[in-house]
Every structure is written in C-alpha cells, then in structure tokens.
Amino acid sequence: DAGVIQSPRHEVTEMGQEVTLRCKPISGHNSLFWYRQTMMRGLELLIYFNNNVPIDDSGMPEDRFSAKMPNASFSTLKIQPSEPRDSAVYFCASSPLQGAGASSYEQYFGPGTRLTVT
Amino acid sequence: DQQVKQNSPSLSVQEGRISILNCDYTNSMFDYFLWYKKYPAEGPTFLISISSIKDKNEDGRFTVFLNKSAKHLSLHIVPSQPGDSAVYFCAASAAGAGSYQLTFGKGTKLSVIP
C-alpha cells in the first residue's frame, strides 16, 4: 500500500487566497483525521471523519476552515481566506475500523503539507 | 489546557546507552497510550502502544511503562542508536469513553550521539 497520500507537499500563497489541501487515506481505513502542527501548539486535531461523516470538528479554528470527505478515498481541507497565522504543517491520518480492536487506535499519517501564507 | 505533557523538549544520549522519554497526562479517562516517532519532512509513524490494563509493553529495543496512579508513562530505548534520532510524540485516547481521537504531547527531540 502507498500509505496516506497528501498533496501538495508544499504550498506558498498570499494572504486572502483560498487554499485547498488534499488527502487520500489508506484503502480500507474508514476513519480520517486532519491535524495541524505548529511550534506553539504542537499537533492539534482539527476534524475527523468516520465512514465519510464528520464526527467532531471542534478543533477547526474558525469558519475560514472547512473539510469535506465526498467518498472513502478522498478528503479536502480548505482555508478561505487564508491568513499568515495559518502557516503550519497540516497532516492527514487514517485508521482502520473503529472498535475493531487495539489496531483501530493506531493512526497512519501522511507526509504532511507545509503551508506558508505571506 | 494541555492534557498530555512532554516536559522535556529535547534529550541527548550517547549511542549504546538508554534513552528515557517521559510523558504525563491529566485526563483520567485516557485508557490507551501510544508513542509516535517523527523524522524531519515526514509524518509521525506509530512506534509502540500500551493499554491501561497493562503496566509494561515491550517490542525489541523499545519498552513503554505506564504508571496509572501517577498518570505517567515513559518510553525506554535500549540500546540507543543514531537512527533513533527523531522527535517522539506521546499520545492518548479515551477509547473506553467512545472516543478514538488521539491527544498528542508537543514532542521530545531525541539526539543520539555516535
């Protein structure tokens, strides 16, 4: 398996522009997580989906952030409009069926997208 | 308020010696704990885990110890190797409460000196 795939790997944009980050989870995994990593706050959970349905978006910082999962193999995280304080590394992770034993707690991370907003 | 704390931002150890990374948590609902390792420009990768019904789990050179009464866990790496140099994240889950979300610490950067 190719693992979790994220694109782009790097994104540089100007303040006010729309940014879309993409993620393809591991095939067969039914939970998907979006994280943001910054020096100040570490690794924060933004939102997660079970079976393509958003379960908890309490970590989404503002209405400027939105996430979708139209099918089991694709998710997007959109920031509109972007601001310099959104600069961070954004990770997508997936995990197997929830409640299917200890392995369901283990999340598999993609390589991340480094976002820079100038 | 941080529910998972890694109070040492960095740690340096000589090759061949033991590395001990520490983690404290405050949420008594946490019942499953994981350690992740992260190299630069890569995503975190799962290393080892432990359920709250155990106090020790071992996998090769890696051992995780859990002290529930102290709300403390530690990761021991013996012997340490230069390839172990990475950032190590502690994470916790309250699965028994129906939550599979992971709460992460801020990480400890381990440097193993040849």
Side-chain angles (χ1 to χ4, degrees):
Chain A
D1 199 311
V4 176
I5 299 172
Q6 290 187 248
S7 64
R9 292 295 308 275
H10 302 273
E11 178 78 38
V12 180
T13 190
E14 291 184 348
M15 182 175 65
Q17 297 297 306
E18 177 180 298
V19 174
T20 299
L21 311 181
R22 297 172 175 79
C23 175
K24 176 177 168 41
I26 293 173
S27 177
H29 284 188
N30 77 330
S31 294
L32 183 139
F33 306 80
W34 282 102
Y35 290 89
R36 177 172 68 176
Q37 184 185 24
T38 60
M39 289 294 291
M40 288 294 294
R41 302 175 67 88
L43 203 57
E44 311 174 85
L45 177 66
L46 300 177
I47 185 172
Y48 83 95
F49 297 82
N50 271 357
N51 294 318
N52 313 337
V53 176
I55 301 302
D56 186 348
D57 65 354
S58 60
M60 297 286 261
E62 301 172 33
D63 292 345
R64 298 184 296 106
F65 286 69
S66 62
K68 294 182 180 179
M69 191 164 186
N71 57 62
S73 59
F74 184 66
S75 177
T76 60
L77 178 67
K78 185 177 293 186
I79 309 172
Q80 164 64 17
S82 58
E83 297 182 3
R85 59 193 168 123
D86 301 332
S87 298
V89 181
Y90 291 81
F91 289 103
C92 174
S94 68
S95 70
L97 181 67
Q98 299 294 306
S103 64
S104 62
Y105 304 111
E106 299 164 17
Q107 296 178 16
Y108 297 79
F109 283 75
T113 296
R114 180 173 292 278
L115 173 65
T116 302
V117 183
T118 60
Chain B
D1 180 36
Q2 269 194 285
Q3 298 186 62
V4 177
K5 299 179 183 179
Q6 294 177 256
N7 292 319
S8 298
S10 62
L11 174 68
S12 290
V13 173
Q14 288 284 338
E15 180 179 3
R17 306 295 290 267
I18 183 171
S19 294
I20 300 176
L21 296 95
N22 294 303
C23 178
D24 297 292
Y25 62 96
T26 58
N27 189 341
S28 57
M29 298 297 290
F30 287 149
D31 56 7
Y32 198 80
F33 305 89
L34 306 89
W35 285 93
Y36 279 79
K37 179 167 74 172
K38 183 184 181 304
Y39 292 118
E42 295 183 10
T45 56
F46 170 74
L47 187 58
I48 192 169
S49 63
I50 188 167
S51 165
S52 60
I53 61 174
K54 296 184 177 181
D55 54 18
K56 176 183 174 181
N57 188 28
E58 189 172 354
D59 183 1
R61 296 186 298 113
F62 302 91
T63 303
V64 56
F65 295 92
L66 175 62
N67 183 333
K68 283 179 291 186
S69 60
K71 292 190 175 67
H72 177 84
L73 62 155
S74 61
L75 174 67
H76 292 209
I77 306 174
V78 182
S80 301
Q81 299 175 354
D84 296 329
S85 297
V87 177
Y88 289 78
F89 292 96
C90 172
S93 173
S99 172
Y100 290 85
Q101 299 178 57
L102 295 181
T103 301
F104 284 84
K106 288 192 175 181
T108 297
K109 183 177 183 179
L110 173 66
S111 299
V112 179
I113 304 163

